[in-house]
Amino acid sequence: MEFQDMKEKFLTLLNNQSLIAATISQPRLKSNDLRRVRLKPIELKGIYTIQLEYQYERILKHENIPVDLFAAKLEQLLEQFRQIHAQFTDQTLHIQLSKKNKVLWKSEQTKENKKINLAHNRQKQYLLEETTIHPFLVRLGVQAENGAIKKQKYDKFKQINRFVEFIDDALDYLPKDRTIRILDFGSGKSYLTFALYHYLKIVKNLDIHVTGLDLKKEVIEECNQIAQDLGYTDLQFLVGDIQDFNDETAVDMVVTLHACDIATDMALARAVKWGAKVILSVPCCQHELNRQLLSPALEIMTQHGLIRERFAALATDSIRAQLLSLVGYEAQLLEFIDMENTPKNILIRAYYTGKKPSADDRAKYDDFIQFLSAKPFLQNELQGLL
């Protein structure tokens, strides 16, 4: 088969709208930092389109091209690469090119025609769009300067967007007539703190003041410098501990991410006492209950260290959510990010509604605590409010 015939035949297959996925690979030049290009069909505004994912060593880029305009792009790609592997609904195709563009064409019919779901293949729409350059993401190394999400930071990009979704959901519970005070305990490198500020201040144009708190002085200094560079005048970072922070008497939103063991409970208790309307907490290292478990009925589980640890973690977060509901919050336990990225993926989301708990709600809590022989730190901290 001649080179020109191969291109026309491949384009005909694409125009038949039977493509499932394809990979163009084997760069002709070793100096080419573009390693491969993946193709998949999507539907954009009712138009059948080929989405290209350019895979460089460290970053990914995307481009969408209507299929009837794809010929020029294919010509360009075949100048750079020597191999195409494609899956269509009725066949698997392998094309190999020599240095002089001699064509090896191998096609294998599939036993059953595969189906294409163009709607399923649509690119996920994030609140912080991939196609938009976000200065804070560039400054934090998640985006390249041209806006492309760096390959090794894509999970972080998804995590940030998931967090922004929670922030967006909470907007109705925040005040509209004054400055919104927000505290982030254990802010660390502050990816999510900067995302929170960017979304509420830059995107939503709300009047906010955000404070990030962490124990690591060098991290705080770096975060303050980044905030200054970005012009985030209502964002500050302080060195401090959750237990010793007394600069506020009232706060509207409290965020705590991966505060270890009872540090999470300290943050939750402070949030409640400050009258926070919104609490977002991702706990970590729940050891307190693990040490207290004395229920004989659970020994078939708790005799195994791994199971005991996991059960204690789930029970601890359930206790926290129930305690928050007993002091007037609507509390939920939600998946924060995919379990494949980290097992620490439960988020406690609580909105203050002022709803009074029923006697049955309190009885269920008391029965559970008695069954576990537990003495939760958070219960003690909230004693005067329960």
Side-chain angles (χ1 to χ4, degrees):
M1 182 183 298
E2 296 296 326
F3 182 72
Q4 188 62 33
D5 294 336
M6 178 274 295
K7 289 190 295 183
E8 292 177 2
K9 190 172 182 180
F10 185 75
L11 286 170
T12 297
L13 291 172
L14 292 183
N15 279 292
N16 288 339
Q17 300 188 12
S18 60
L19 177 69
I20 295 175
T23 301
I24 301 177
S25 59
Q26 288 192 7
R28 291 179 182 268
L29 299 176
K30 292 183 179 180
S31 58
N32 189 353
D33 59 348
L34 177 59
R35 309 315 300 165
R36 65 187 62 81
V37 181
R38 297 194 188 280
L39 314 180
K40 68 175 182 178
I42 60 174
E43 183 179 327
L44 291 178
K45 298 180 180 180
I47 299 174
Y48 184 87
T49 301
I50 303 298
Q51 182 179 87
L52 297 93
E53 182 183 84
Y54 300 96
Q55 298 188 357
Y56 294 83
E57 184 176 355
R58 294 187 177 181
I59 62 173
L60 297 176
K61 295 182 181 180
H62 293 88
E63 183 180 20
N64 299 320
I65 300 177
V67 69
D68 56 351
L69 301 177
F70 197 76
K73 176 58 64 173
L74 180 63
E75 184 79 31
Q76 178 185 346
L77 291 172
L78 292 178
E79 290 176 359
Q80 300 180 64
F81 297 94
R82 297 173 49 207
Q83 179 175 276
I84 300 175
H85 185 81
Q87 177 69 58
F88 295 88
T89 55
D90 59 350
Q91 64 176 305
T92 299
L93 177 64
H94 182 82
I95 301 172
Q96 189 72 46
L97 303 175
S98 70
K99 292 182 179 180
K100 295 183 179 181
N101 282 337
K102 289 186 177 180
V103 179
L104 174 64
W105 176 291
K106 288 186 177 180
S107 175
E108 182 178 348
Q109 298 296 309
T110 55
K111 294 181 180 179
E112 297 180 3
N113 283 0
K114 296 186 177 182
K115 296 182 179 180
I116 307 169
N117 185 348
L118 295 177
H120 178 71
N121 285 337
R122 286 177 182 165
Q123 186 175 343
K124 178 175 174 60
Q125 296 299 306
Y126 293 110
L127 288 176
L128 301 180
E129 296 180 353
E130 290 187 59
T131 54
T132 301
I133 297 176
H134 306 284
F136 83 98
L137 289 179
V138 175
R139 186 67 173 76
L140 293 172
V142 176
Q143 273 185 315
E145 291 186 359
N146 64 2
I149 305 301
K150 295 182 179 181
K151 184 177 180 180
Q152 71 273 28
K153 291 291 186 178
Y154 201 82
D155 286 342
K156 178 62 67 176
F157 176 74
K158 291 194 296 183
Q159 181 195 52
I160 289 170
N161 266 286
R162 179 64 169 151
F163 180 70
V164 170
E165 289 175 8
F166 287 121
I167 297 299
D168 187 70
D169 290 342
L171 291 179
D172 289 341
Y173 293 88
L174 297 174
K176 309 293 189 299
D177 56 348
R178 58 176 174 80
T179 300
I180 302 168
R181 287 294 291 114
I182 301 172
L183 280 177
D184 183 355
F185 285 125
S187 53
K189 294 183 178 180
S190 302
Y191 290 99
L192 303 186
T193 320
F194 282 106
L196 180 154
Y197 185 92
H198 171 85
Y199 188 70
L200 293 181
K201 185 74 173 183
I202 310 302
V203 178
K204 292 298 182 179
N205 196 31
L206 296 179
D207 180 11
I208 65 172
H209 189 277
V210 182
T211 300
L213 191 71
D214 200 90
L215 289 172
K216 298 178 181 178
K217 182 180 178 181
E218 64 277 9
V219 172
I220 291 300
E221 290 176 350
E222 181 181 359
C223 289
N224 275 321
Q225 185 61 56
I226 294 173
Q228 181 179 330
D229 293 345
L230 293 170
Y232 288 2
T233 55
D234 294 309
L235 173 61
Q236 65 171 343
F237 295 91
L238 302 174
V239 177
D241 182 82
I242 293 173
Q243 193 171 8
D244 299 326
F245 185 74
N246 297 305
D247 290 5
E248 299 289 347
T249 57
V251 177
D252 300 300
M253 177 188 290
V254 171
V255 176
T256 169
L257 300 171
H258 299 153
C260 190
D261 200 19
I262 62 171
T264 291
D265 300 298
M266 291 178 187
L268 294 177
R270 298 298 292 276
V272 171
K273 293 173 182 177
W274 277 323
K277 302 300 183 185
V278 177
I279 300 172
L280 298 174
S281 176
V282 179
C284 178
C285 309
Q286 299 95 322
H287 298 310
E288 183 194 26
L289 183 58
N290 195 330
R291 295 188 293 265
Q292 297 176 0
L293 282 174
L294 293 174
S295 176
L298 291 175
E299 285 185 4
I300 194 170
M301 295 174 58
T302 57
Q303 64 179 322
H304 305 288
L306 175 63
I307 302 301
R308 180 187 181 95
E309 179 182 351
R310 292 183 179 178
F311 174 80
L314 293 172
T316 297
D317 289 337
S318 299
I319 289 170
R320 287 165 172 162
Q322 187 68 4
L323 281 169
L324 289 172
S325 70
L326 293 177
V327 293
Y329 285 83
E330 177 188 323
Q332 296 175 298
L333 300 180
L334 304 169
E335 184 178 68
F336 181 32
I337 50 178
D338 293 340
M339 182 68 80
E340 65 188 29
N341 296 323
T342 174
K344 302 170 185 176
N345 72 331
I346 290 180
L347 179 138
I348 302 172
R349 180 176 70 183
Y351 302 140
Y352 184 75
T353 63
K355 181 181 178 181
K356 301 297 182 182
S358 66
D360 186 53
D361 290 333
R362 181 58 196 249
K364 286 179 179 178
Y365 173 78
D366 290 338
D367 289 345
F368 189 60
I369 294 303
Q370 185 177 359
F371 173 68
L372 298 177
S373 300
K375 298 177 181 179
F377 179 88
L378 182 58
Q379 177 184 322
N380 185 64
E381 289 291 293
L382 298 177
Q383 195 60 54
L385 302 174
L386 292 169

